[in-house]
């Protein structure tokens, strides 16, 4: 693809994400506002619609996230000839499930910043953030349970299974952090990343297909497409976690390294058998200050972790496109899905 083609596709994806926000945000906000107080206040703050004191927050939409998962739901519905308007409730449900994971992950990882401001747990305390995450997940499943659409039951089951897989992936991620750098394998990290990130993107695509009347085989192929694209997404996200610009990411530079995260580029570096791999392992066995983070990032790069992650992301995207071709042979109908997948794997923040 030419640079002009990539730019055009990126523009199309951004436009589709904006349309998704327009379609989904009113229903999403209405759902969050149905939560009981004071959990409602935590939810409104987390989504960017209110300040810590409950007053409306200017520019809240910009802090509500990119809407990638609900966009995949609507794009998949459209790809199979369905009306995306009938899948808005399902799109809201997957976005709520995604934010359940964010609320909990921020507590587990002790992240102080998300989307350029303090995380919910640092403002309201860990108990309120955890309980809000629980309520947001229950809300997602209730939305599907109350949806009269004939695909809602299958979608609800798919989402529930996905959440269990997500929790397993998060547990594996936490377990990896406490293990010695020399004991972690790349295969188990790829499996963890697929569960943590790929599962929900796959579910988003499958749910959208189901809402358009797709059969089980097509839904499985869409799930596989989303999982492969999700793994590519995670690989790029891991690169950004090391080399991203804090002014654009909203997080400190090298935050993943400072937290000793066994991210995919890090593990690829650790298992490379290079002298830099040994340096990185030693660095990961002690607390890292700013200079230590800089040295760790340099070691990851010299050990080949950065190049491997970039190549693997491209490979996973190739597999994603193959799965999409199986499910939707008409490339024109799959245009929005392809544009979204390319967008999330070409981003730099």
């Amino acid at each position: 693809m030419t640079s002009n083609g990539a730019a055009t596709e990126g523009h199309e994806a951004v436009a589709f994400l904006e349309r998704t926000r327009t379609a989904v945000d009113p229903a999403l906000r209405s759902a969050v506002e149905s939560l009981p107080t004071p959990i409602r206040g935590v939810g409104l703050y987390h989504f960017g619609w209110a300040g810590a004191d409950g007053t409306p927050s200017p520019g809240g939409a910009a802090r509500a996230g990119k809407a990638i998962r609900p966009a995949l739901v609507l794009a998949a519905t459209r790809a199979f000839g369905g009306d995306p308007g009938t899948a808005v409730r399902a799109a809201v449900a997957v976005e709520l499930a995604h934010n359940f994971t964010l609320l909990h992950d921020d507590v587990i990882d002790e992240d102080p910043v998300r989307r350029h401001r303090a995380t919910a747990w640092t403002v309201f305390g860990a108990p309120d953030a955890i309980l809000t995450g629980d309520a947001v997940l229950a809300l997602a499943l209730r939305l599907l349970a109350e949806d009269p659409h004939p695909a809602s039951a299958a979608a609800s089951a798919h989402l529930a299974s996905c959440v269990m897989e997500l929790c397993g992936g998060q547990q594996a991620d936490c377990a990896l952090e406490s293990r010695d750098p020399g004991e972690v394998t790349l295969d188990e990290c790829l499996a963890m990343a697929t569960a943590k990130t790929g599962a929900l993107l796959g579910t988003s695509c499958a749910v959208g297909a189901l809402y358009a009347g797709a059969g089980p085989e097509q839904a499985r192929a869409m799930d596989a497409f989303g999982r492969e694209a999700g793994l590519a997404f995670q690989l790029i996200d891991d690169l950004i976690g090391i080399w991203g610009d804090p002014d654009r990411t909203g997080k400190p530079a090298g935050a993943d390294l400072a937290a000793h995260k066994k991210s995919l580029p890090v593990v690829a570096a650790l298992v490379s058998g290079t002298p830099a791999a040994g340096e990185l392992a030693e660095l990961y066995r002690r607390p890292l200050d700013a200079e230590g983070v800089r040295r760790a990032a340099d070691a990851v790069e010299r050990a080949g972790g950065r190049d491997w992650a970039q190549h693997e992301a491209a490979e996973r995207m190739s597999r994603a496109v193959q799965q999409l071709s199986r499910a939707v042979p008409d490339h024109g109908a799959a245009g929005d899905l392809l544009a979204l997948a390319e967008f999330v794997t070409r981003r730099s923040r």
Side-chain angles (χ1 to χ4, degrees):
M1 179 182 294
T2 66
S3 59
N4 286 339
T8 300
E9 205 159 55
H11 175 75
E12 291 173 354
V14 169
F16 189 80
L17 289 168
E18 290 173 352
R19 293 197 300 273
T20 297
R21 272 283 166 225
T22 299
V24 169
D25 268 8
L28 178 62
R29 181 158 186 170
S30 177
V32 173
E33 287 179 341
S34 74
L35 293 170
T37 55
I39 286 175
R40 180 189 311 139
V42 183
L44 290 171
Y45 174 87
H46 168 76
F47 279 95
W49 295 315
D53 60 357
T55 58
S57 180
R63 286 194 292 269
K66 295 182 180 66
I68 290 166
R69 291 153 191 84
L72 287 171
V73 173
L74 301 186
T77 302
R78 183 175 172 182
F80 284 91
D83 176 7
T86 65
V88 167
R89 188 185 291 246
V92 171
V94 299
E95 184 71 348
L96 287 169
H98 172 54
N99 279 275
F100 144 76
T101 69
L102 299 183
L103 282 158
H104 282 204
D105 284 0
D106 285 343
V107 176
I108 292 169
D109 297 338
E110 298 183 346
D111 282 337
V113 177
R114 179 174 292 282
R115 298 168 183 159
H116 302 280
R117 68 173 181 170
T119 45
W121 77 272
T122 65
V123 175
F124 299 96
D128 278 5
I130 292 169
L131 291 169
T132 301
D134 293 342
V136 164
L137 175 58
L139 182 58
L141 295 173
R142 189 184 78 183
L143 283 177
L144 290 175
E146 294 176 349
D147 191 353
H149 194 285
S152 62
S156 181
H158 206 119
L159 183 59
S161 295
C162 171
V163 169
M164 288 188 282
E165 186 176 357
L166 283 169
C167 291
Q170 179 62 58
Q171 191 280 333
D173 190 24
C174 293
L176 288 174
E177 285 189 45
S178 63
R179 285 169 51 186
D180 185 84
E183 298 175 352
V184 179
T185 70
L186 197 51
D187 283 347
E188 63 185 331
C189 287
L190 286 166
M192 176 271 293
T194 300
K196 275 196 66 175
T197 303
L200 188 53
L201 269 69
T203 291
S204 300
C205 296
V207 164
L210 290 170
Y211 265 68
E217 185 175 344
Q218 291 169 311
R220 282 192 293 272
M222 289 302 295
D223 185 272
F225 160 73
R227 283 172 180 268
E228 294 290 357
L231 192 48
F233 176 98
Q234 186 60 57
L235 284 154
I236 300 301
D237 204 57
D238 286 350
L239 290 168
I240 292 169
I242 299 174
W243 291 285
D245 179 355
D247 291 336
R248 303 181 74 186
T249 65
K251 292 188 176 185
D256 286 359
L257 296 174
H260 292 175
K261 280 280 186 184
K262 307 294 196 312
S263 66
L264 290 163
V266 167
V267 177
L270 286 170
V271 302
S272 66
T274 63
E279 295 174 33
L280 180 61
E282 286 305 313
L283 286 165
Y284 253 49
R285 293 187 177 106
R286 60 176 186 262
L288 296 179
D289 57 13
E291 174 59 19
V293 166
R294 187 198 65 75
R295 290 176 59 199
D298 179 64
V300 172
E301 183 149 22
R302 286 187 289 112
R306 188 173 192 169
D307 287 344
W308 174 86
Q310 290 170 335
H311 178 271
E312 186 69 13
E315 173 63 24
R316 295 293 174 164
M317 263 307 301
S318 176
R319 296 186 194 181
V321 171
Q322 290 173 6
Q323 293 291 348
L324 184 59
S325 296
R326 283 181 51 211
V328 189
D330 180 357
H331 285 190
D336 289 333
L337 288 166
L338 284 170
L340 288 168
E342 287 287 344
F343 173 76
V344 299
T345 55
R346 290 180 183 273
R347 74 200 197 286
S348 59
R349 60 185 175 92

